[in-house]
Amino acid sequence: MTLHHLRIFISVAESGKMSAAAHAHHLSQPTVSQIIRELEEYYSVKLFERLSKKLHITEEGKRLLGYAKEVVNAYENLEYNMSPAVRRDTLRIGSSVTVGMCVMPGLVRNFSAARPDTDIYSYVNNTQTIEEMLLRSELDVAVVEGKIRNPDIVCSHLMDDYVTLFCATEHRLAVKKYISLDELCRESFVVREHGSGTREIFENFITEQKRKLRIKWEVACFDSTLRAVREEGCIGVASVRLLIPHLDAGNIRAICCAGGEWDRTFSLVHHKNKYMTETMTAFIEAAHTIKDAPPPDRTKMGRLIA
């Protein structure tokens, strides 16, 4: 098994076609097929299945793809960084949407100022997508608010947070100190897309209470959530940290869970087999030194009584 084998395998997996991989690497299609067979024999697994004349990667193939990208990227980083003409480090940082709005900008800005010779790429998406990119070695390190499920991802606590509901100050629930689950579930909701940690924690709570939500809007960002709350009279779901400026301005009313079931943490995450460069280590240390204010006090919010 060589790097050449892994590069060909990655090309086939990403394109879904032997012919495309052959063209990209200036090889014949039978040669590419032989390389895939050699990999399958070497690891005693089936990497692809052909169904309805289409190539489909197997679960074992997906597993190898993550490792293959890690190995090839590590080798390419080695070649690049050991070149006498290169003196810059690179760091690929991921963050889930909430973290990307309220934590990551300041963290990246301070880290860039402290290490101006490091090229930083920052990517924001929901927790599920960030987890998948870490497993494929497309990111080096990330900060997320959602739950990480894959045991190959190492998680460490970064800061505390909690999810709240919120409505416009003109909404009928805005004046109530205590709100029952029955009256809440009669309202229309705006929620984040599937894969969002914020959505998951609230939906899990509703499912445990054996209730259903009336979802009117499904959106991918906080700005759209806020607009649906203000203009459509929906109930929104968000991290309390995103709501701070709007609470201070008196534009919205927050509703917290009386039992604290929506408490969560922001976590710093990376693949357990990731080679820890000095730059990665420095970023992780910098992240853990964040002096962040605690989330807002809940005593001034409406209370949901389940």
Side-chain angles (χ1 to χ4, degrees):
M1 192 277 293
T2 66
L3 282 170
H4 182 60
H5 283 78
L6 295 181
R7 286 194 174 104
I8 299 303
F9 166 69
I10 291 170
S11 291
V12 174
E14 290 183 337
S15 67
K17 296 179 180 179
M18 297 278 188
S19 58
H23 178 75
H25 293 272
H26 308 288
L27 299 171
S28 67
Q29 190 166 330
T31 299
V32 171
S33 298
Q34 178 60 31
I35 288 172
I36 297 301
R37 281 195 299 272
E38 289 173 0
L39 273 174
E40 290 178 329
E41 291 171 2
Y42 185 84
Y43 290 113
S44 300
V45 294
K46 187 76 171 175
L47 298 176
F48 297 97
E49 291 181 328
R50 186 173 290 279
L51 303 173
S52 302
K53 298 183 179 180
K54 292 185 178 180
L55 211 59
H56 299 272
I57 191 168
T58 65
E59 288 303 314
E60 289 297 333
K62 292 178 182 178
R63 185 181 179 190
L64 177 61
L65 182 60
Y67 287 118
K69 285 188 173 183
E70 186 81 28
V71 171
V72 171
N73 285 342
Y75 177 77
E76 290 176 350
N77 284 338
L78 170 65
E79 291 292 291
Y80 179 80
N81 288 305
M82 291 304 292
S83 169
V86 174
R87 291 293 180 266
R88 297 183 68 87
D89 291 325
T90 59
L91 183 64
R92 301 168 300 170
I93 307 168
S95 59
S96 50
V97 175
T98 298
V99 174
M101 290 185 66
C102 61
V103 176
M104 196 56 70
L107 179 56
V108 170
R109 182 174 60 252
N110 293 339
F111 190 73
S112 295
R115 302 177 71 94
D117 291 334
T118 298
D119 289 326
I120 294 179
Y121 166 75
S122 187
Y123 179 79
V124 179
N125 209 313
N126 62 52
T127 300
Q128 180 179 321
T129 300
I130 295 297
E131 178 178 359
E132 291 169 354
M133 292 181 71
L134 287 168
L135 292 170
R136 295 195 299 265
S137 191
E138 294 173 356
L139 294 171
D140 299 315
V141 63
V143 181
V144 298
E145 78 262 15
K147 186 178 293 184
I148 294 293
R149 289 175 170 77
N150 194 291
D152 289 338
I153 303 295
V154 177
C155 305
S156 59
H157 173 271
L158 193 61
M159 64 178 66
D160 295 321
D161 184 50
Y162 61 89
V163 170
T164 68
L165 305 177
F166 67 103
C167 61
T169 51
E170 300 82 12
H171 196 283
R172 68 176 191 86
L173 295 184
V175 297
K176 297 177 71 78
K177 185 175 181 180
Y178 297 103
I179 301 161
S180 71
L181 195 55
D182 285 336
E183 59 184 332
L184 179 73
C185 289
R186 289 194 290 268
E187 300 297 327
S188 296
F189 280 80
V190 51
V191 298
R192 286 274 311 284
E193 80 287 358
H194 285 288
S196 159
T198 296
R199 175 174 179 163
E200 181 183 36
I201 196 170
F202 180 59
E203 280 196 336
N204 286 346
F205 171 81
I206 291 297
T207 300
E208 289 169 2
Q209 300 297 322
K210 297 180 172 57
R211 306 300 177 93
K212 289 186 177 181
L213 295 178
R214 294 172 55 192
I215 298 176
K216 185 175 182 179
W217 285 87
E218 185 171 338
V219 301
C221 67
F222 176 70
D223 286 345
S224 296
T225 301
L226 191 62
R227 186 167 183 173
V229 167
R230 288 176 171 173
E231 300 180 11
E232 300 288 334
C234 292
I235 303 294
V237 187
S239 161
V240 70
R241 294 180 180 274
L242 292 179
L243 301 180
I244 292 174
H246 307 284
L247 291 170
D248 291 343
N251 297 326
I252 61 169
R253 169 74 163 167
I255 304 167
C256 67
C257 186
E261 289 91 340
W262 302 343
D263 291 2
R264 64 179 180 182
T265 62
F266 292 166
S267 300
L268 189 64
V269 296
H270 62 86
H271 197 288
K272 68 177 184 180
N273 295 327
K274 185 71 179 177
Y275 172 69
M276 301 295 290
T277 64
E278 189 273 335
T279 302
M280 272 188 68
T281 301
F283 178 81
I284 291 171
E285 291 175 351
H288 280 297
T289 61
I290 293 176
K291 295 182 179 179
D292 189 70
D297 186 3
R298 297 175 229 213
T299 58
K300 297 180 180 180
M301 301 179 185
R303 296 292 187 95
L304 176 64
I305 309 298

